[in-house]
């Protein structure tokens, strides 16, 4: 993927991110930060590819650390966000 | 037959990208928020599993071991961490993402890549996000109490940044077979990590939410850049969506605190004013739980202002019990939440929601600030800077201009506080010295329980 195609993707994705977050109530800011934190955990995919293609010892070590960190980001981010949103649900139930 | 796996991978990444965006969209509304994270989670599973099919990929044992070693502890800690500690956990997991992006950049740079510029950019941003987030984690965790700065720190930081940029350009320009290249790349990473530390250390705790949000956006950007390097669409889309959503979130938060991003990131000018401000008059006047209970029980309207202290004391459940008792006694009770109460926007809402406080008695700053004048008793529990009137009155103050809850306008103010210390910004709170303010010294949860008992016994 080269040049302008990349730029177009960049531009469209940036607008998407902006539109998705705009007009969100302040109470959801923390869960949203946490949720978007989880989503960039997709870096795991890249770390897996980097480690999978590594052939030097140094490359394997760095790739290994990369996969570990990325998994931490994805798994931790998911659990934390889910726990946070869980409470929102129950409180809404009681409020009714 | 290499075509089928590639087709499968492309399809899965495409679906994952859609699921991420829809998931994030759903998380933007309280009713659908829970489904949102599940959708995004499905996308993540899909993308991860299908990546194992990537042609020419090896080291499966290493990959699976690393996933186990990284995933299990993260899962274990995330399950067990108290709701009050959520902000620092987000900082930590975000830092890990930044670190992973930097690691990808390192692997690709050492190996040699066609997209050196993007790899270098991702390396810089990812490293800064990694070390910066860890400092933010340490600060929020209380491992590092003070904002720390040395003489001419800003100059050093700017010089360091310039060096990093120059070194980055040198790496990009250097011929790929150059012997010194590995060394240059290593130095580049070390300097970038130091830069992240230096950038975060001087930032005060009150500004941490903005900083974490900023690092969250930066990690997204780093992930996107490394996605370009690897030619991985899922990473590009997810990274940029998070990058732009995170930037907007950062701006919204900074706006809620009436701070510009520049103000947050270059805070050294506060150093002198910190000590200079002490224009408090009067004294701290303690009150016991009995008198305070009577005061609340016979009030028409009580507004409760929770802050980080409530989170630390885990007092939200007792506070909700207290609220229910007051409501039974025909006292109108409202909660006033400052946008940055706690350590993060929405932090207090999460805790009150956990305790079961219904939405309709929780008010934002703009909705409740006019009501304080008609309010008999304001109960401040563990909040400090967000009710400090110097933000309105004293232009010298580091928090001057930040919108605050006008608790000082109420007829009576009760403050539950552990001791006489200052808030996270480190400045004295004039509200505590005001004539209509009484101090309830003690642990938030114990104090709330005592108030509850006294009111019930009336």
């Amino acid at each position: 993927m080269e040049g302008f195609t990349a730029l177009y993707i960049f531009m469209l994705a940036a607008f998407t991110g902006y539109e998705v977050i705009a007009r969100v109530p302040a109470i959801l800011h923390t869960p949203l930060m946490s949720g978007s934190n989880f989503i960039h955990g997709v870096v795991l995919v890249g770390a897996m590819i980097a480690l999978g293609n590594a052939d030097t010892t140094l490359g394997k070590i760095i790739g290994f650390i990369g996969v570990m960190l990325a998994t931490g980001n994805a798994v931790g981010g998911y659990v934390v966000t889910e726990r946070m949103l869980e409470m929102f649900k129950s409180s809404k139930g009681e409020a009714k | 037959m290499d075509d089928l796996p590639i087709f499968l991978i492309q399809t899965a990444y495409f679906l994952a990208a859609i699921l991420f965006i829809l998931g994030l969209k759903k998380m933007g509304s309280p009713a659908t928020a829970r489904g949102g994270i599940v959708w995004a989670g499905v996308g993540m599973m899909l993308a991860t599993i299908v990546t194992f099919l990537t042609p020419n990929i090896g080291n499966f044992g290493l990959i699976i071991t690393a996933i186990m070693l990284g995933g299990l502890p993260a899962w274990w800690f995330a399950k067990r961490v108290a709701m009050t500690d959520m902000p620092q956990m987000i900082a930590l997991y975000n830092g890990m993402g930044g670190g992973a992006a930097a690691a990808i950049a390192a692997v690709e740079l050492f190996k040699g890549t066609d997209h050196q510029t993007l790899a270098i950019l991702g390396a810089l941003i990812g490293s800064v996000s990694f070390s910066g987030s860890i400092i933010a984690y340490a600060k929020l965790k209380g491992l590092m109490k003070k904002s720390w700065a040395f003489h001419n720190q800003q100059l050093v930081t700017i010089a360091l940044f310039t060096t990093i940029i120059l070194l980055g350009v040198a790496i990009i320009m250097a011929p790929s077979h150059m012997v010194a290249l590995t060394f240059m790349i290593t130095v580049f990473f070390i300097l970038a990590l130091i830069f992240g530390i230096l950038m975060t250390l001087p930032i005060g705790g009150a500004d941490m939410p903005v900083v974490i949000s900023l690092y969250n956006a930066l990690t997204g950007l780093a992930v996107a850049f490394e996605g370009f390097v690897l030619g991985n669409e899922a990473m590009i889309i997810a990274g940029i969506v998070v990058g732009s959503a995170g930037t907007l979130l950062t701006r919204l938060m900074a706006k809620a605190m009436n701070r510009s991003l520049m103000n947050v990131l270059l805070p050294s000018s506060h150093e002198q004013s910190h000590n200079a401000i002490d224009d408090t008059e009067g004294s701290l006047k303690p009150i016991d739980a009995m008198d305070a209970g009577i005061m609340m029980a016979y009030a028409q309207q009580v507004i409760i202002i929770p802050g980080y202290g409530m989170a630390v004391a885990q007092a939200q459940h007792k506070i909700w019990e207290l609220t229910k008792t007051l409501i039974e006694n025909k006292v109108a009770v409202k909660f006033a939440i400052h946008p940055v109460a706690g350590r993060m926007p929405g932090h207090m809402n999460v805790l009150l929601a956990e305790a079961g406080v219904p939405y309709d008695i929780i008010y934002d700053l703009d909705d409740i600030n006019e009501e304080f004048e008609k309010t008999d008793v304001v109960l401040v529990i563990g909040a400090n800077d967000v009710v400090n009137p110097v933000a309105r009155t004293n232009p010298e103050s580091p928090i001057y201009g930040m919108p605050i809850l006008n608790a000082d306008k109420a007829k009576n103010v009760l403050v539950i506080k552990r001791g006489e210390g200052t808030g996270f910004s480190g400045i004295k709170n004039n509200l505590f010295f005001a004539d209509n303010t009484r101090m309830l010294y003690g642990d938030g949860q114990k104090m709330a329980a005592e108030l509850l008992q006294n009111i019930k016994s009336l």
Side-chain angles (χ1 to χ4, degrees):
Chain A
M1 187 182 352
E2 288 303 319
F4 273 99
T5 316
L7 268 180
Y8 276 113
I9 293 182
F10 195 106
M11 184 265 296
L12 290 173
F15 274 109
T16 308
Y18 190 94
E19 282 304 317
V20 162
I21 297 289
R23 294 181 297 277
V24 162
I27 54 160
L28 279 169
H29 280 173
T30 296
L32 262 177
M33 194 202 294
S34 181
S36 59
N37 177 36
F38 162 67
I39 288 173
H40 66 51
V42 75
V43 69
L44 171 59
V45 167
M48 285 167 69
I49 295 173
L51 175 56
N53 288 325
D55 33 27
T56 61
T57 313
L58 181 65
K60 282 180 194 169
I61 293 173
I62 301 173
F64 190 83
I65 296 172
V67 173
M68 260 179 68
L69 290 174
T71 316
N73 181 184
V75 174
Y78 184 86
V79 176
V80 163
T81 311
E82 204 208 11
R83 280 185 57 196
M84 225 182 272
L85 292 174
E86 188 108 9
M87 292 174 330
F88 270 79
K89 176 82 172 192
S90 67
S91 88
K92 277 204 86 201
E94 275 192 46
K96 270 174 197 166
Chain B
M1 270 304 280
D2 268 354
D3 289 353
L4 183 66
I6 290 178
F7 177 73
L8 272 179
I9 290 169
Q10 296 292 350
T11 314
Y13 284 171
F14 184 69
L15 285 175
I18 293 176
L19 286 170
F20 288 154
I21 293 169
L22 287 180
L24 201 59
K25 175 84 196 157
K26 279 164 149 290
M27 274 184 253
S29 139
T32 55
R34 273 183 90 202
I37 184 67
V38 177
W39 283 43
V42 171
M44 190 71 73
M45 281 305 267
L46 205 61
T48 310
I49 291 168
V50 88
T51 301
F52 280 107
L53 300 176
T54 310
N56 308 322
I57 204 172
N59 298 333
F60 285 112
L62 282 178
I63 293 177
I64 291 170
T65 316
I67 287 179
M68 289 298 166
L69 283 179
L72 288 178
W75 183 82
W76 197 84
F77 281 112
K79 276 280 179 210
R80 267 156 196 79
V81 65
M83 271 303 143
T84 42
D85 293 340
M86 280 304 174
Q88 50 261 44
M89 286 317 272
I90 298 178
L92 188 64
Y93 293 134
N94 176 55
M96 288 179 162
I104 297 172
V107 172
E108 294 301 311
L109 283 170
F110 283 134
K111 207 165 61 183
T113 161
D114 301 337
H115 303 279
Q116 270 192 322
T117 311
L118 286 172
I120 284 280
L121 274 176
L124 171 60
I125 300 172
S127 305
V128 169
S129 172
F130 176 66
S131 58
S133 294
I134 287 177
I135 297 295
Y137 168 80
K139 282 194 166 208
L140 287 173
K141 189 101 180 121
L143 300 173
M144 209 180 276
K145 266 276 149 61
K146 283 211 174 111
S147 51
W148 177 90
F150 55 82
H151 203 53
N152 285 341
Q153 169 142 4
Q154 261 180 44
L155 273 180
V156 174
T157 312
I158 292 168
L160 181 62
F161 186 71
T162 318
T163 315
I164 293 172
I165 296 296
L166 290 177
L167 187 57
V169 173
I171 293 172
I172 296 166
M173 304 293 264
S176 58
H177 50 80
M178 213 172 95
V179 188
L181 202 57
T182 311
F183 176 71
M184 281 162 74
I185 294 171
T186 313
V187 173
F188 179 83
F189 274 102
I190 294 172
L191 291 184
L193 289 171
I194 295 175
F195 177 70
I197 296 173
L198 281 185
M199 199 173 121
T200 322
L201 275 177
I203 298 173
D207 287 333
M208 265 316 142
V210 181
V211 175
I212 296 176
S213 177
L214 177 70
Y215 285 145
N216 184 38
L218 285 181
T219 303
L221 211 55
V223 170
F225 284 152
E226 297 314 323
F228 277 116
V229 173
L230 296 172
N232 186 297
E233 291 82 358
M235 280 171 76
I236 299 174
I237 305 276
I240 292 175
V241 167
V242 171
S244 87
T247 308
L248 178 58
L249 217 51
T250 311
R251 275 181 44 208
L252 291 175
M253 287 184 197
K255 213 174 115 196
M257 300 166 73
N258 197 25
R259 306 270 273 146
S260 77
L261 208 51
M262 271 298 140
N263 256 322
V264 172
L265 295 178
L266 303 171
S268 75
S269 55
H270 292 162
E271 230 46 51
Q272 304 86 4
S273 48
H274 257 217
N275 309 323
I277 301 163
D278 188 4
D279 55 352
T280 49
E281 286 171 21
S283 57
L284 295 165
K285 296 162 282 290
I287 188 172
D288 62 37
M290 190 68 219
D291 293 338
I294 294 172
M295 204 191 256
M296 292 177 81
Y298 291 103
Q300 299 244 303
Q301 173 156 292
V302 173
I303 295 180
I304 300 175
I305 303 178
Y308 189 62
M310 181 186 82
V312 173
Q314 294 282 356
Q316 61 269 27
H317 299 280
K318 278 277 171 272
I319 288 289
W320 173 226
E321 270 187 64
L322 176 66
T323 306
K324 280 191 285 193
T325 313
L326 284 172
I327 292 173
E328 280 165 26
N329 283 347
K330 306 263 187 300
V331 182
V333 185
K334 291 176 176 173
F335 285 84
I337 312 264
H338 191 274
V340 293
R343 289 290 178 271
M344 224 175 240
H347 190 195
M348 289 300 123
N349 300 77
V350 171
L351 292 178
L352 292 176
E354 183 195 18
V357 180
Y359 262 64
D360 46 5
I361 63 168
I362 302 179
Y363 292 85
D364 280 344
L365 179 121
D366 292 333
D367 298 327
I368 201 151
N369 245 349
E370 315 231 305
E371 295 223 13
F372 283 107
E373 282 167 44
K374 319 180 271 192
T375 301
D376 305 300
V377 180
V378 166
L379 177 67
V380 178
I381 169 158
N384 196 334
D385 294 332
V386 298
V387 289
N388 193 343
V390 297
R392 277 200 320 260
T393 55
N394 188 346
E396 300 281 297
S397 166
I399 63 168
Y400 180 72
M402 180 172 95
I404 57 155
L405 290 163
N406 296 327
D408 55 323
K409 303 220 164 140
K411 286 171 200 137
N412 296 289
V413 181
L414 295 170
V415 179
I416 298 181
K417 208 168 173 310
R418 253 181 313 180
E420 299 188 356
T422 54
F424 221 114
S425 71
I427 55 171
K428 281 201 170 175
N429 193 332
N430 288 15
L431 174 71
F432 300 165
F433 294 88
D435 290 335
N436 56 345
T437 302
R438 295 289 177 274
M439 308 296 289
L440 279 161
Y441 289 118
D443 172 74
Q445 190 173 330
K446 259 182 23 210
M447 260 306 147
E450 273 183 50
L451 283 174
L452 180 66
Q453 245 175 17
N454 287 323
I455 293 171
K456 274 189 170 159
S457 66
L458 284 178

